[in-house]
Structures are given as C-alpha cells and as structure tokens.
Amino acid sequence: MPELPEVETLRRQLAASVVGRTITAVELAPGSPSPIAIPAPGAFVAAMAGRRIAGVGRRGKYLLLALDDGSTLALHLRMSGGLLHRPPGTAPEAYLRAALRLDDGSELRFTDVRKFGRLWHVPEVGLLVDGLGPEPLAEDFTVGALAAVLSGRRAPVKSVLLDQRALAGVGNVYADEALFAAGIDPRRPAHGLSPQERKRLHAALRAVLGAAIENGGTSLRDYRGLEGETGRHQHELRVYGRAEQPCSRCGTPVRRVVLAGRGTHFCPGCQK
DNA sequence: CTTATTCCCTGATTGC
DNA sequence: TGCAATCAGGGAATAA
C-alpha cells in the first residue's frame, strides 16, 4: 500500500531519472475502468504528446509531474498501483495500464492489479490537492499543528490520522507504526490526547515516516520502487502485520482489531 | 459539520 | 484436490 514514504521514494527517483525528458507518446491498455480520471482518455493522450517533464512533486500520496506548459500530470497509486521506469525494448509487465514513452526511448509505466489507481491531467493542481491536510514532514508541521488536526475530533485517533483532509499522506501501515512508537492506543478519541501524548505522536509520525523514506519504503504485497526493486522498511515494522506475535518491546502479543474499516495493530502492553 | 458504512477490484488465503 | 467464500485496503460516495 503506497503511502507517503513510498510516493516520496518514487518522487526522488523520478527527479533523478525523468525530469527534463519529453513525453513522445502515451499508450493506454484497454479495459475498464480507465486509469485516466481526467480528462477523457483520448484528450489525455493528445495532451501528453510533446510535453516536457519540468519537475516532480508530491502532495500527500499524490505524485505530481509538472509539465512545461504549466499543467500537471497527477498520479495516485491507491492500493496496488506501481510506477516503473523501463529501458527501451523492455517487455510489458502484467497489469500494465498506461505507458508514457519518453524521448530517450525509455518508458514510464503505470501498473495496477486492483485498478484503483488513477491519473489526472489538470491545468491547475490545486483542484486536486487543496482539500488535503498538512504535510507531516513539512517544517511548519509543529506540535501545535498536530493539536489543531486532533482538536474537536471524537473519532479514534487512528481514524483521524488516516483522514487525508486532516493529515496528508499517512495510511494504514504508518498510522499503526506511529501510534506504537508514541505509545498511544489507536482507539483513543483524538481530542483526548494529553499535550505530552501529542508531542510523542508528533515526533513518532515524523520519525517513522522519515525512517521509511530512508529505507526506500515498505514492500509488503505490492509496492516496488521505480526500477522494480523492493524497499527495506518492511523489516522495521513493529506492529503492522504482526498480530499474535510478541511485541518487540514488552513481549505482549500484538492485537489486531478493525477500526475505520481497516486492520489495526497495536500492543496492549505498550499503548495506553 | 461529524462519524460510520459500503463499494470498487482481484490475487491470496481460508474453509469445507 | 477443488471450488466458493472471505479478506486486504485508499478513498469516493452514501447514510445517519
């Protein structure tokens, strides 16, 4: 499940490999639903040809390719989407949904088993990302900013962390990991955290997300880097996917419950 | 405004 | 061994 660290890993790889390249053609695999959200597929293909990739950004879990005419090609991998940069002549992957051919003959390929991922071509990127909450790794994301995110929210703190309008980029894996690192029970009402707990959660979010980026992301079922390589952060997970196994810190079996419709992992011994 | 639930989609896993 | 039912989950849509 690509979350902020996985998308950021891809962004950094793209910055080093495709910025400055020009898109010569786009190929879309048949099948529905179309991976192109906006505009209609035909218009999308026509608009891409001849555009130079001027830069690559990220907002939450959106990857944003800035094009030379000021428009943006946005990509969201959702559950099982992948982005690959392949040399000329590479055989097509299974579940290939879209390919951007570049002027050096290489291809940027979007694959997606479960077909939830989407691409958008928009003249103004704000239309897509303005509703997102703050970036947890931004310099101005202070403890106070986290307090503002949590205030007035009676929902479980994990549900709020997953809410992209509250906080951008955190998904199921890193929400569980950050709450473990902060020693907070994911079921606690968000507004009930003490100042000390908010401080711990703030530090934990930034530490966990930062470490995952340094490790090139978490490769569980689906995520791969731009060259198809696996990340390394799956080896650092403390609670996610470890139900019934002893907590690495206190030995209590890790519990799994369902919260916000998502599998939620925590240590009853460490997280109060 | 809030929170909870359903749905999309398909490979992997589980149950009989 | 085979086949059907269940599970996984990001986010949009819907319900309350």
Side-chain angles (χ1 to χ4, degrees):
Chain A
M1 296 69 74
E3 305 181 25
L4 187 156
E6 288 74 36
V7 179
E8 177 63 20
T9 298
L10 288 170
R11 189 198 68 75
R12 292 179 183 189
Q13 294 180 314
L14 287 166
S17 60
V18 306
V19 168
R21 296 257 74 97
T22 295
I23 300 166
T24 57
V26 176
E27 287 169 27
L28 301 179
S32 69
S34 169
I36 310 301
I38 284 176
F44 179 92
V45 169
M48 287 301 110
R51 296 274 62 79
R52 191 174 60 86
I53 300 171
V56 53
R58 179 191 59 76
R59 183 76 172 88
K61 303 174 193 172
Y62 288 89
L63 197 53
L64 306 170
L65 296 182
L67 305 180
D68 61 351
D69 62 354
S71 67
T72 299
L73 172 57
L75 171 69
H76 197 304
L77 300 173
R78 294 276 176 92
M79 288 295 302
S80 60
L83 196 61
L84 296 164
H85 187 216
R86 294 304 198 195
T90 307
E93 291 76 15
Y95 308 108
L96 182 61
R97 304 293 181 204
L100 306 186
R101 189 145 50 228
L102 306 181
D103 57 355
D104 62 353
S106 68
E107 285 190 9
L108 203 51
R109 294 175 171 175
F110 170 66
T111 63
D112 194 6
V113 172
R114 270 162 278 185
K115 300 184 176 177
F116 291 162
R118 292 291 183 273
L119 290 86
W120 296 256
H121 182 226
V122 289
E124 171 49 54
V125 70
L127 300 171
L128 213 51
V129 300
D130 276 353
L132 295 174
E135 285 289 326
L137 293 180
E139 222 170 276
D140 61 357
F141 185 69
T142 59
V143 184
L146 177 62
V149 163
L150 302 175
S151 75
R153 301 290 301 261
R154 282 186 282 190
V157 59
K158 172 167 175 182
S159 301
V160 177
L161 294 182
L162 291 180
D163 182 351
Q164 300 300 297
R165 293 160 304 185
L167 187 64
V170 177
N172 204 40
V173 174
Y174 297 110
D176 282 4
E177 292 296 313
L179 286 163
F180 172 81
I184 296 168
D185 188 315
R187 301 167 295 183
R188 295 264 308 279
H191 69 92
L193 268 57
S194 70
Q196 191 181 43
E197 287 170 329
R198 291 197 294 259
K199 189 173 179 181
R200 291 209 308 268
L201 181 56
H202 175 263
L205 279 166
R206 292 167 68 102
V208 166
L209 295 172
I213 292 170
E214 284 183 30
N215 285 324
T218 297
S219 293
L220 293 169
R221 284 190 170 85
D222 300 306
Y223 174 74
R224 296 294 182 273
L226 197 60
E227 315 283 341
E229 79 284 7
T230 56
R232 299 174 305 280
H233 198 71
Q234 63 276 14
H235 305 301
E236 310 301 323
L237 301 179
R238 307 285 297 272
V239 288
Y240 184 84
R242 302 181 59 88
E244 312 304 326
Q245 298 178 43
C247 168
S248 57
R249 196 173 146 261
C250 77
T252 303
V254 170
R255 254 191 90 188
R256 183 183 184 278
V257 298
V258 175
L259 210 58
R262 303 292 174 251
T264 297
H265 313 73
F266 67 101
C267 170
C270 296
Q271 296 174 256
K272 298 303 183 188

